[in-house]
Amino acid sequence: MRNRLPPSRSSAVTRRGLLIGGGAGVGLVLAWAVWPRRYLPNLAADKGETIFGAWIKIGDDGHVTVAVPQAEHGQGVYTALPQIVADELGADWRTVAVEPAPLNPLYANPLGANDLFETSNATLVGRWRDAHAIATTTMLTAGSSSIRAFEDDLRQAGAAARVLLCKVAATRWGVDWQACDTKAGFVVHDKDRLRFADLAAEAAGGTLPEALPMRINDDDSRLSGQSLPRLDAPSKVDGSANFAGDVRLPDMVFASIRQGPIGDSRLLRVDRAAADRIRGVLQVVTNDRWVAAIGNSWWAANRALDALAPRFETRGPIVTSATIDDALRAALDAPGKRIEAVGDVEAVLTAARPVTAEYRAGLAVHAAIETMSATARFADGRLELWLPTLAPAMARAAAAAAAGISADKVVVHPMLIGGSFGANLDSRCAEQAAVLAVKLRRPVQLTWSRVEDLLHDRFRPPAMARMAARLGANGQILGWRTRIAAPATGQDIARRLFAHDPGFRTALALTPPGDPYAVAGAAPPYRIPAYAIDHHPAEIGVPTGHWRSGAHSYTAFFTECFLDELAHLSGIEALSFRIGLLGGNARLARCLSTAASLGGWEGGISGSGQGIACHSFRGSHIAVLVEAHVGEGGAVSVDRIVAAVDCGRQINPDLVRQQIEGGLLFGMAAATGGSTDITRGMPDVRRFGDLGLPRLADTPDITVELISSQADPGGVSELAVPPVAPAIANALQAATGYRLRGLPLVPGSK
């Protein structure tokens, strides 16, 4: 491999998997991974391009292409990651391009896996995943991990290419290479300048020093920290950006699908004769779980499904909203699994009668703009897939198993994603497209209808919480206990992602009971001498999955609403109550005081319609102030949102602001709608109009203050979602005097 950094020269490169081994204490579960393995980059060079390691290509016209291993679904990763390389390389931003990285263990994301499942390397599964993620090419976009996981690698790559270019230029000029620098796509030394394009081919064969010098100058030439324009914006604006639904292949046909109700549903019969009468219908494919219609257009295929009038039989109990509530309550009444604890909370709470409250969050849908889609082509024993996916290696394994071939016979082409919010961790559409391609022996594009996408979502799980706290003098919280009944969604996601990996099942079997994912974010960020977080696993019979911010979306609601109730009982204004409990968390305290100052906080007094909430997430901190009221017809109306954010050092402030603003609106939509009930095994929602989502006219005035910080970058894309719902609920309590304890917030409900 040319220009590969030796493992001893960079901990980041070693972590990336040039030499992989098991961690101490993992034992036989990891024995297979201990043998040293080496991975070579497999970037493909176009004509006139020179490859620099696993991340960078430089063209003879001067363009710099950066391989990005993360999926772009609107969060700006196709800009932020190349910006890191361009900054360290000294490239001209106008010449920087991006392409999806190929499947390779070098691009694995163990941090994303650990953050998604809310595990750490202190746990057996956490340690196992870290080594396993690299060995199995777990390229995962999740957990707001992109910058945190890859910044070191990308800076190392940019620095390595810069050094190699400087060495060639220095040789031509007869100077010391360390006296050279790069700026705007040139190697410079005094008045001498040479383009990257003129040096790249020769530089690629050079050698690197033992220690890579990183750029330390802090002048206007540094690209990091600038709000550079997004690389994906022009093609999205002019329509040239390709999404999964834009793929067109010779002899391709189109498919739509209909699946049975939630539960163990089996297809009984279809009316094939009726479908044959639909113009443009070519074929009908059935199996036990679903029926697909194939046509020369998607419209024809989807119309055929209505004509087919499929009938399914569901074995076992029929799921309804009532059965879900019963399952949550039964789980909450049963013993739980302690996930986190400090001090002896039971002794504190039994010493005096505690304050208690019960909260609930309903099923939430993803409702991304792009429905599930995949294009598949099977020929000569090989399968190609074009699809939006957050986990390409897992999608490949799932499609290979469905097609009955080995994974090395499957090629995945990751596409831009039209939103996701976690939905594209699911591989069902890839599996179905693979089955159809093998059956039809011609390329097929499968697209779920909007109805199908809503009915068969992997929903954000419902949850029920029983909160208990004991108050001391002057508003001190002596003890705090959170008991949450919710499905073990983290374990379910892991089982689906690693369904074809027997090693994972072994590791999961050895993991202590309870699911940290299901109660993630429930530990209060406040100084409380004794607290405990318990998970009560609930079997609700509904498939659940990761949804933007995961369990934090409901645990922050439980925590920040209950804290507001305690502040009222203590007779202390809500902002002062919070800041007084924060202890040494200066960053979160600054967010609270900044949001209060910008928003004109009036103390949350009766009639003010003001509420405040805060949250810490993936190394970032946020406080949100909301002004809201109950409008005509009893609907919740949000008038204003003010957010103060400390997410550490910012690569691109505009991207951060976009994600915070989008997250605030996402959280608002989930607080006031975006949910569904279940009737006889089927979700009630069928279209966007059923979700009660806010429209443009409902959008409140939004102010976002980004607090300057030199701390390491924290997560951003999910940060703003959790505190919005509690801030709105707290504002409604101030406006009406009535506390809403359920999501979505419906005035008049319990």
Side-chain angles (χ1 to χ4, degrees):
M1 168 180 140
R2 294 183 298 171
N3 307 321
R4 182 180 63 204
L5 294 177
S8 62
R9 298 177 190 168
S10 167
S11 61
V13 174
T14 299
R15 174 172 57 83
R16 206 32 78 218
L18 296 180
L19 185 64
I20 295 178
V26 180
L28 293 178
V29 174
L30 281 182
W32 59 270
V34 176
W35 192 262
R37 300 158 187 245
R38 292 184 180 274
Y39 302 110
L40 302 179
N42 57 336
L43 283 180
D46 290 334
K47 184 178 180 181
E49 285 187 328
T50 300
I51 295 176
F52 286 75
W55 301 93
I56 301 171
K57 298 188 294 184
I58 299 178
D60 57 13
D61 60 354
H63 77 263
V64 176
T65 299
V66 179
V68 173
Q70 301 293 91
E72 175 61 77
H73 55 97
Q75 80 279 38
V77 72
Y78 269 19
T79 299
L81 296 187
Q83 188 168 343
I84 294 168
V85 171
D87 176 61
E88 199 63 46
L89 176 59
D92 183 343
W93 187 245
R94 294 170 298 179
T95 68
V96 176
V98 62
E99 70 179 35
L103 283 175
N104 191 308
L106 293 171
Y107 308 116
N109 186 4
L111 176 65
N114 284 325
D115 282 355
L116 173 63
F117 302 115
E118 299 291 344
T119 59
S120 70
N121 287 338
T123 67
L124 175 62
V125 169
R127 294 194 302 268
W128 180 85
R129 280 200 188 102
D130 209 32
H132 179 262
I134 299 172
T136 58
T137 317
T138 303
M139 292 170 61
L140 190 67
T141 304
S144 298
S145 63
S146 296
I147 300 294
R148 297 180 297 126
F150 292 104
E151 183 182 16
D152 286 349
D153 291 343
L154 292 167
R155 290 205 179 278
Q156 292 277 346
R162 172 172 46 80
V163 166
L164 293 172
L165 292 166
C166 285
K167 280 192 166 188
V168 174
T171 299
R172 295 186 186 182
W173 294 327
V175 299
D176 184 353
W177 69 267
Q178 297 181 79
C180 300
D181 200 0
T182 55
K183 187 173 183 178
F186 289 85
V187 177
V188 297
H189 178 264
D190 293 335
K191 295 183 179 180
D192 294 323
R193 293 159 59 89
L194 282 171
R195 295 192 315 147
F196 287 176
D198 299 329
L199 304 168
E202 185 177 350
T207 59
L208 291 167
E210 285 296 319
L212 280 175
M214 311 302 288
R215 298 187 73 188
I216 58 174
N217 58 305
D218 192 21
D219 57 29
D220 292 340
S221 68
R222 295 305 300 264
L223 300 181
S224 187
Q226 294 190 38
S227 293
L228 300 178
R230 291 182 64 140
L231 294 182
D232 58 332
S235 62
K236 289 179 177 177
V237 170
D238 66 22
S240 61
N242 282 321
F243 293 82
D246 297 315
V247 174
R248 293 295 182 269
L249 302 173
D251 197 35
M252 189 178 82
V253 293
F254 300 85
S256 188
I257 198 167
R258 189 75 51 87
Q259 301 163 84
I262 294 169
D264 185 12
S265 296
R266 306 285 172 156
L267 181 65
L268 293 179
R269 63 182 181 274
V270 295
D271 188 348
R272 291 177 181 267
D276 290 340
R277 292 192 290 270
I278 302 297
R279 186 174 181 179
V281 173
L282 304 175
Q283 194 170 342
V284 173
V285 177
T286 63
N287 65 22
D288 287 344
R289 298 289 183 178
W290 47 261
V291 53
I294 317 299
N296 56 19
S297 71
W298 184 84
W299 178 250
N302 198 55
R303 285 185 62 211
L305 286 175
D306 292 331
L308 284 164
R311 293 292 180 265
F312 293 88
E313 176 188 43
T314 302
R315 305 172 185 177
I318 303 297
V319 178
T320 67
S321 293
T323 66
I324 292 173
D325 285 345
D326 290 344
L328 291 174
R329 194 163 296 281
L332 207 49
D333 290 337
K337 309 297 182 183
R338 185 137 293 177
I339 303 299
E340 187 173 348
V342 170
D344 188 353
V345 69
E346 304 303 334
V348 174
L349 294 181
T350 55
R353 185 175 180 179
V355 180
T356 61
E358 189 169 291
Y359 295 86
R360 188 186 185 283
L363 288 167
V365 300
H366 287 91
I369 292 296
E370 181 187 31
T371 63
M372 291 292 181
S373 180
T375 301
R377 177 169 60 191
F378 183 74
D380 301 323
R382 301 185 67 86
L383 177 69
E384 282 186 279
L385 287 168
W386 290 260
L387 73 157
T389 176
L390 302 178
M394 284 68 180
R396 178 180 65 173
I405 59 177
S406 62
D408 60 3
K409 300 293 185 183
V410 180
V411 175
V412 172
H413 303 285
M415 306 297 294
L416 291 172
I417 304 176
S420 176
F421 317 119
N424 289 109
L425 288 168
D426 186 14
S427 298
R428 282 175 296 168
C429 192
E431 297 173 25
Q432 294 160 354
V435 170
L436 291 174
V438 172
K439 175 77 173 178
L440 300 172
R441 287 299 196 270
R442 61 191 296 187
V444 58
Q445 184 174 98
L446 171 64
T447 304
W448 289 15
S449 67
R450 174 60 60 193
V451 173
E452 198 70 13
D453 201 65
L454 288 169
L455 295 184
H456 295 282
D457 195 9
R458 301 287 192 188
F459 305 95
R460 195 277 312 272
M464 190 176 291
R466 285 180 183 159
M467 315 292 291
R470 181 182 165 196
L471 288 169
N474 302 318
Q476 182 185 9
I477 300 178
L478 303 178
W480 173 293
R481 184 181 63 211
T482 300
R483 291 174 172 168
I484 297 177
T489 298
Q491 295 176 3
D492 288 343
I493 297 170
R495 287 189 184 95
R496 290 196 295 267
L497 284 177
F498 300 106
H500 308 288
D501 186 345
F504 172 78
R505 291 193 293 272
T506 302
L508 189 63
L510 298 175
T511 302
D515 186 2
Y517 177 99
V519 297
Y526 304 101
R527 185 175 55 190
I528 299 174
Y531 72 84
I533 310 298
D534 294 345
H535 176 220
H536 297 250
E539 296 290 341
I540 65 170
V542 175
T544 57
H546 183 70
W547 185 88
R548 192 173 184 179
S549 79
H552 292 255
S553 62
Y554 54 76
T555 58
F557 175 71
F558 302 155
T559 298
E560 287 296 293
C561 286
F562 188 51
L563 196 84
D564 223 59
E565 295 197 49
L566 296 178
H568 282 281
L569 285 172
S570 300
I572 301 175
E573 174 265 322
L575 174 66
S576 301
F577 188 70
R578 284 173 168 81
I579 291 180
L581 290 170
L582 280 175
N585 194 338
R587 295 174 69 187
L588 191 54
R590 186 178 180 188
C591 289
L592 279 164
S593 60
T594 301
S597 177
L598 289 173
W601 175 249
E602 299 175 1
I605 59 175
S606 178
S608 68
Q610 288 187 332
I612 201 164
C614 61
H615 196 61
S616 295
F617 188 75
R618 313 279 191 235
S620 295
H621 310 273
I622 184 171
V624 173
L625 183 150
V626 163
E627 294 178 356
H629 69 278
V630 177
E632 294 182 8
V636 174
S637 180
V638 180
D639 306 305
R640 189 179 180 212
I641 301 178
V642 177
V645 177
D646 180 351
C647 60
R649 180 168 37 83
Q650 300 163 33
I651 302 300
N652 188 312
D654 268 2
L655 292 179
V656 174
R657 189 176 301 276
Q658 291 164 18
Q659 286 304 297
I660 297 302
E661 290 175 350
L664 294 172
L665 289 173
F666 190 95
M668 172 185 156
T672 59
S675 186
T676 184
D677 287 328
I678 304 290
T679 302
R680 293 192 57 79
M682 297 291 283
D684 291 348
V685 297
R686 296 291 191 276
R687 54 181 182 165
F688 278 148
D690 298 333
L691 292 171
L693 300 175
R695 302 184 180 186
L696 187 60
D698 305 315
T699 303
D701 177 70
I702 296 177
T703 301
V704 175
E705 178 70 11
L706 302 181
I707 297 173
S708 178
S709 173
Q710 289 305 308
D712 289 339
V716 170
S717 63
E718 299 176 303
L719 173 65
V721 176
V724 179
I728 295 174
N730 295 339
L732 293 175
Q733 198 280 333
T736 66
Y738 185 76
R739 171 66 61 178
L740 297 177
R741 296 195 179 99
L743 286 179
L745 300 167
V746 180
S749 64
K750 293 182 179 181

